[in-house]
Amino acid sequence: MQKLLVSVVALIALVAGVVIYNSLPQPQPQALVYDPPRVMEPFSLQGHHGSAISNADLEGQWTLLFTGYTSCPDICPTTMADLKKAMPRLNAKAEAPVKVWMISVDPKRDSLDKLAQYNGYFGPEFLGVRAEHEQLYPFVNGLGLMYSIPAPDEMDYLVNHSSAIVLVNPQGQRHAIFKASHTPGKIPTVDMEQLITDFRLIVRDYR
């Protein structure tokens, strides 16, 4: 009888704990989450493997879209290295695979071969993407990102571009944007620990 009473009390305590937990405010992402997610305009770009890629290539996976270029001296290699390090933890949180698209904002210098070599260093989850400015600029702008276009006669130049990362859900919709931290004396990059935490919360709530 005493064992039964102890079991009943333990069960009541467990149920009460679940009820209290569910009634507490759940943590929310610090990233800008689109509610509802935003449909992406049709696009046609090139992947570093040489094939055309379109909206359909975003489906069935979580995709992190990042603007960069292979000659970038700071933001791009830092962000790519941080994402490479984060990939095992990101993939552990989601049923669908997690991929990274590095969208080159320097089509003059970034050939497919150059993008393949650069992205290949970071792993098979990374895809270099390119297009000429006529297709590239509307695509990047539609993501809520930006980049500068150098003068046609410039050969040695830097490209100013957004350092934010856009998250696309497995339905091919823009789901969130992770903005960069701006700390005096440091390059603006996305806080990767916060991105991982936010990604876990986004995946938790994804239907």
Side-chain angles (χ1 to χ4, degrees):
M1 182 66 180
Q2 186 175 2
K3 289 184 179 180
L4 177 60
L5 180 60
V6 170
S7 298
V8 170
V9 171
L11 179 60
I12 292 173
L14 176 62
V15 172
V18 171
V19 170
I20 292 172
Y21 175 80
N22 288 334
S23 66
L24 293 174
Q26 296 298 305
Q28 297 300 316
Q30 292 187 19
L32 172 59
V33 179
Y34 300 116
D35 187 17
R38 299 183 179 181
V39 174
M40 294 183 60
E41 293 295 321
F43 65 84
S44 179
L45 309 170
Q46 286 182 299
H48 73 235
H49 42 57
S51 301
I53 56 174
S54 64
N55 301 68
D57 294 285
L58 291 169
E59 296 175 3
Q61 64 189 43
W62 290 96
T63 313
L64 296 162
L65 305 182
F66 169 68
T67 53
Y69 62 111
T70 62
S71 302
C72 177
D74 41 35
I75 296 174
C76 308
T78 299
T79 299
M80 294 285 278
D82 287 347
L83 286 170
K84 177 183 179 181
K85 187 176 179 180
M87 287 304 287
R89 294 169 65 187
L90 293 172
N91 275 299
K93 300 297 182 183
E95 293 182 5
V98 181
K99 305 291 184 180
V100 175
W101 285 14
M102 193 202 83
I103 305 158
S104 172
V105 291
D106 187 15
K108 178 190 285 190
R109 295 181 295 187
D110 281 349
S111 65
L112 292 179
D113 287 343
K114 199 169 183 180
L115 285 172
Q117 183 177 6
Y118 186 83
N119 283 270
Y121 171 79
F122 295 99
E125 302 95 345
F126 289 76
L127 177 68
V129 176
R130 77 174 303 283
E132 298 304 318
H133 291 300
E134 291 80 3
Q135 296 80 38
L136 180 66
Y137 192 84
F139 175 71
V140 171
N141 188 252
L143 295 174
L145 305 177
M146 57 74 63
Y147 70 96
S148 63
I149 301 177
D153 58 343
E154 285 189 84
M155 297 304 294
D156 184 17
Y157 54 85
L158 297 176
V159 181
N160 295 319
H161 61 91
S162 301
S163 49
I165 298 173
V166 174
L167 177 66
V168 177
N169 66 32
Q171 291 179 286
Q173 304 164 322
R174 278 193 298 150
H175 201 100
I177 182 166
F178 306 99
K179 297 187 177 181
S181 301
H182 293 269
T183 304
K186 295 185 178 181
I187 60 173
T189 55
V190 173
D191 183 329
M192 208 53 54
E193 285 299 322
Q194 188 62 53
L195 182 149
I196 293 168
T197 297
D198 286 352
F199 181 75
R200 176 179 58 81
L201 297 174
I202 289 168
V203 169
R204 176 199 68 186
D205 297 335
Y206 178 68
R207 299 290 183 272

